């Protein structure tokens, strides 16, 4: 469904992504793990064109895009078929929880307000926040904000949702409620690419694991295989050092 | 203060406040509204890094902020006629005040835009919105909330600065007071009187500013601690 080939990205002199190839099948839950600074965030950002790649190809629903030369219109179209959940939520500070969800439906996708509202309320319920539609982000806890952010990302029914360490800014208690929501999404068959430090999530929820280091994919494997017996020494060392 | 002075103050009051209502206030309101539009466009051009226009915007801000308002008034009113451009005093004042204040507003709005976290724009992109959609619906409302207090200060400063328009023969309050002084020969009391009327006007504007801020706080609650 989604494929990235030969993705390169540098910031100034430093090469951050050095030839990434990855494939996402429909229904996949892919956990991307790796040490800090290995380029995980940059990879997700390039895939949603928040950063422009220096080279690379993306095949999305059988259409091939040059990740460097992709046009604004194509980017808009790709983004409207994907969702993105940020580490620090990035809810629209001037919008209520409900408006955070409906904004992308009404403004970007021209869905009628009433229909968008219904979808929004349904999404809030889905992430366990029924009744919170009129709350502003500032009056929600981190866990609640992240769940609204997830509701916002899934409301347009995207083909794939990217998560960049969705729980790493949260306390363990709040982490649990967010992971619960993500687990439910995965169970429904949503296609998800999740950068995470939560090894339990990677092990129990993801079906594939990608281990990155130094801007390269060191190992990509089935989650089960990966955690039972990593093929690469570096993966083994990394897992060992984590002590999850 | 004797009876004569009181009589003079009462007598001159309408002569001073009427030009205030007819000139000072309209000049402030019209010029400031135009300044907001100029400031918004100038700030957006810089914020969005628009090619070619951005250096022009910087140049405009640099020139206007680096030269005295009074000189700008003189250039437009006394200078331009020599190249065949004649503008009546009131429109000339409106143009100069709008252009002058536009440069200051631009800086205020630009820094308010830059204070909005970059994640807000990125979240807008990821929600499928275009740059303009995200600016209009997410970034600008938050920036304007930040910009309202400094902009309100600018309105009040401008209201007082309109007294400079007397220098290009706009019949505003200060000029009306000067006329009254030449009739009654009581400069101290009359200038104190016009000062009080300015104070009255600025108090009114301050009160309006408070109400506006309260309303904004209600409608974009929490925007400041994002
Ligand atoms: N906008 C940028 N400009 C310059 N360097 C950047 C930029 N963004 C990221 N980098 C650098 O790229 C490298 C990889 O960053 P990235 O955020 O992708 O890593 P990561 O794997 O997500 O790390 P973490 O686990 O800490 O989130 C880091 O060395 C970082 O300093
Ligand atoms: Mg990261």
């Amino acid at each position: 469904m989604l494929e990235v080939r030969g993705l390169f990205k540098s910031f100034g002199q430093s090469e951050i992504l050095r030839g990434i190839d990855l494939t996402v099948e429909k229904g996949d839950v892919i956990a991307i793990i790796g040490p800090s600074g290995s380029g995980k965030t940059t990879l997700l950002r390039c895939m949603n064109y928040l950063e422009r790649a220096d080279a690379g190809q993306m095949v999305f629903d059988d259409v091939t895009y040059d990740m460097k030369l992709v046009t604004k219109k194509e980017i808009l179209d790709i983004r409207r078929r994907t969702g993105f959940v940020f580490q620090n939520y990035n809810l629209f500070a001037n919008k209520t929880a409900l408006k955070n969800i409906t904004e992308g439906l009404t403004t970007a996708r021209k869905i009628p307000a009433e229909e968008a509202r219904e979808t929004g309320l349904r999404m809030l319920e889905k992430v366990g926040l029924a009744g919170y539609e009129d709350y502003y982000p500032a009056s929600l806890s981190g866990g609640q904000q992240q769940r609204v952010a997830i509701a916002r990302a899934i409301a347009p029914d995207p083909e794939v949702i990217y998560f960049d360490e969705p729980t790493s800014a949260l306390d363990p208690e709040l982490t649990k409620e967010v992971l619960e929501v993500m687990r439910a999404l995965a169970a429904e068959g949503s296609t998800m690419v999740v950068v995470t430090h939560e090894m339990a999530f990677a092990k129990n929820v993801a079906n594939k694991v990608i281990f990155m280091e130094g801007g390269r994919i060191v190992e990509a494997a089935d989650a089960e295989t990966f955690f039972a017996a990593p093929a690469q020494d570096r993966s083994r060392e990394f897992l060992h050092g984590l002590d999850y | 203060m004797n009876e004569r002075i009181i009589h003079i103050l009462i007598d001159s009051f309408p002569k001073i406040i009427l030009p205030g209502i007819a000139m000072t206030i309209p000049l402030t309101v019209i010029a400031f509204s135009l300044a907001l539009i100029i400031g918004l466009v100038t700030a957006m051009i810089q914020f969005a890094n628009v090619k070619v226009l951005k250096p022009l915007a910087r140049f405009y801000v640099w020139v206007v902020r680096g030269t005295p308002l009074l000189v700008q008034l003189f250039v437009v009113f006394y200078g331009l006629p020599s190249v065949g451009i004649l503008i009546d005093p009131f429109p000339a004042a409106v143009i100069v005040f709008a252009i002058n204040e536009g440069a200051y507003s631009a800086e205020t709005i630009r820094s308010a835009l830059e204070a909005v976290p970059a994640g807000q724009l990125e979240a807008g992109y990821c929600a499928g919105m275009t740059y303009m959609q995200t600016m209009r619906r997410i970034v600008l409302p938050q920036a304007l909330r930040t910009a309202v207090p400094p902009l309100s200060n600018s309105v009040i400063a401008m209201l007082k600065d309109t007294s400079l328009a007397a220098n290009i023969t706009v019949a505003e309050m200060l000029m009306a007071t000067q006329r009254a002084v030449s009739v009654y020969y009581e400069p101290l009391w009359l200038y104190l009187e016009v000062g009080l009327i300015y104070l009255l006007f600025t108090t009114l504007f301050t009160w309006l500013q408070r109400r506006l801020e309260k309303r904004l706080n209600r409608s974009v609650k929490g925007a400041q601690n994002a």
Side-chain angles (χ1 to χ4, degrees), chain B residues 13-198:
Chain B
F13 184 75
K15 290 185 189 138
I16 297 175
I17 199 167
L18 286 179
I21 292 164
M23 285 285 180
T24 303
I25 301 276
L27 177 56
T28 306
V29 171
I30 299 171
F32 197 79
S33 308
L34 293 175
L36 279 184
I37 297 169
I38 297 172
L40 189 63
V41 172
T42 309
M44 288 277 284
I45 285 170
Q46 294 180 67
F47 185 74
N49 264 321
V50 185
K51 281 185 214 96
V52 189
L53 291 182
K54 184 173 173 178
L56 283 179
R58 293 303 314 159
F59 180 77
Y60 156 65
V61 171
W62 174 64
V63 168
V64 169
R65 294 209 310 169
T67 53
L69 177 54
L70 194 53
V71 171
Q72 295 165 10
L73 281 166
F74 281 7
V75 166
V76 169
F77 189 71
Y78 297 114
L80 288 186
S82 68
V83 289
I85 302 173
L86 273 134
I87 311 172
D88 284 340
F90 186 78
V94 167
I95 291 169
V96 172
F97 278 98
I99 289 177
N100 182 274
E101 183 52 39
Y104 289 93
S105 304
E107 288 298 277
T108 304
I109 296 171
R110 184 175 65 88
S111 66
L113 282 170
E114 280 163 5
V116 177
Q120 294 286 307
L121 188 57
E122 292 186 347
Y125 286 153
C126 289
M129 291 195 271
T130 62
Y131 177 80
M132 284 314 277
Q133 286 171 337
T134 312
M135 287 307 286
R136 205 177 64 240
R137 310 218 17 120
I138 310 297
V139 178
L140 268 175
Q142 292 180 46
L144 289 182
R145 175 64 195 84
T146 318
V148 163
L151 287 176
S152 308
N153 284 340
S154 305
V155 185
I156 288 165
M158 187 185 202
L159 184 113
K160 293 181 291 179
D161 285 346
T162 54
S163 58
L164 288 174
N167 293 289
I168 60 164
T169 75
V170 174
E172 48 68 68
M173 290 206 292
L174 184 63
M175 179 175 273
T177 314
Q178 284 166 334
R179 285 202 184 119
V181 168
S182 65
V183 173
Y184 301 110
Y185 301 108
E186 280 296 344
L188 175 64
W189 294 107
L190 288 166
Y191 285 131
L192 280 177
E193 181 175 35
V194 73
L196 269 178
I197 296 175
Y198 274 112

Side-chain angles (χ1 to χ4, degrees), chain A residues 45 48 50 76 79-80 82-84 86 89-95 103-110 136 138 152, chain B residues 119-120 122-130 133-134 136-139 141-142 218-223 225-226:
Chain A
R45 290 173 61 84
N48 222 13
L50 293 174
L76 199 62
R79 285 190 186 136
R80 285 178 183 168
T82 60
F84 201 102
F86 297 87
Y89 341 125
N90 284 339
L91 289 184
F92 304 133
N94 60 326
K95 303 268 174 202
E103 193 62 43
L105 302 176
T106 51
T107 305
R109 294 170 182 84
K110 307 295 174 212
Y136 281 87
R152 172 174 72 178
Chain B
Q120 294 286 307
E122 292 186 347
Y125 286 153
C126 289
M129 291 195 271
T130 62
Q133 286 171 337
T134 312
R136 205 177 64 240
R137 310 218 17 120
I138 310 297
V139 178
Q142 292 180 46
R218 236 180 292 135
S219 56
V220 291
K221 187 163 46 176
N225 43 10

Side-chain angles (χ1 to χ4, degrees), chain A residues 10 18 58 81 86 98 109 114 120 151-152 155-156 181 218 227 240:
Chain A
S10 302
R18 309 164 187 232
M58 173 179 272
R81 292 186 282 147
F86 297 87
L98 180 64
R109 294 170 182 84
E114 197 39 50
R152 172 174 72 178
V181 167
V218 176
F227 284 100
H240 197 71

Side-chain angles (χ1 to χ4, degrees), chain A residues 36-37 39-42 87 164-165 195 197:
Chain A
S36 183
K40 308 180 295 294
T41 296
T42 308
Q87 185 170 357
D164 186 15
E165 297 194 32
V195 170
H197 287 301

Side-chain angles (χ1 to χ4, degrees), chain A residues 15-217:
Chain A
E15 209 173 25
I16 306 300
L17 298 178
R18 309 164 187 232
I20 299 282
D21 302 289
L22 69 86
T23 306
V24 184
E25 307 283 0
K26 195 165 166 10
D28 268 351
V29 177
I30 301 180
I32 301 181
I33 62 175
S36 183
S38 53
K40 308 180 295 294
T41 296
T42 308
L43 170 60
L44 284 195
R45 290 173 61 84
C46 284
M47 286 172 75
N48 222 13
Y49 302 93
L50 293 174
E51 303 286 355
R52 187 64 75 108
D54 299 326
Q57 277 192 327
M58 173 179 272
V59 186
F60 193 9
D61 289 338
D62 302 323
V63 181
T64 305
Y65 304 89
D66 182 316
M67 293 182 79
K68 185 178 182 208
L69 304 174
V70 60
T71 64
K72 272 189 185 171
K73 208 164 153 283
E74 288 169 332
I75 291 177
L76 199 62
D77 176 59
I78 292 169
R79 285 190 186 136
R80 285 178 183 168
R81 292 186 282 147
T82 60
F84 201 102
V85 176
F86 297 87
Q87 185 170 357
N88 55 351
Y89 341 125
N90 284 339
L91 289 184
F92 304 133
N94 60 326
K95 303 268 174 202
T96 62
L98 180 64
K99 286 282 165 61
N100 260 277
I101 302 170
T102 55
E103 193 62 43
L105 302 176
T106 51
T107 305
R109 294 170 182 84
K110 307 295 174 212
I111 291 171
E114 197 39 50
E115 189 184 331
R117 190 185 148 76
E118 274 166 31
T119 307
L121 291 172
R122 201 151 31 80
M123 292 303 131
L124 276 176
E125 197 180 332
K126 195 164 177 173
V127 299
L129 288 173
Y132 282 84
E133 55 266 25
D134 294 329
Y135 281 61
Y136 281 87
S139 43
L140 295 172
S141 77
Q144 291 169 332
Q145 289 191 55
Q146 193 59 298
R147 286 187 282 151
V148 173
I150 293 173
R152 172 174 72 178
I154 62 177
D157 198 17
E159 293 172 50
V160 53
I161 313 157
Y162 304 113
F163 295 79
D164 186 15
E165 297 194 32
T167 61
S168 62
L170 300 172
D171 298 339
E173 211 30 51
L174 302 179
T175 295
K176 237 172 73 186
E177 65 186 41
V178 170
L179 288 180
E180 223 27 72
V181 167
M182 291 172 62
R183 188 190 297 269
L185 281 183
E188 276 176 18
S190 305
T191 309
M192 301 157 66
V193 178
V194 186
V195 170
T196 186
H197 287 301
E198 294 287 336
M199 287 307 132
F201 179 85
K203 190 176 179 179
N204 303 325
V205 182
N207 65 326
K208 292 181 187 164
V209 174
I210 288 174
F211 173 60
M212 273 182 78
E213 186 165 50
R216 291 200 178 85
I217 292 180

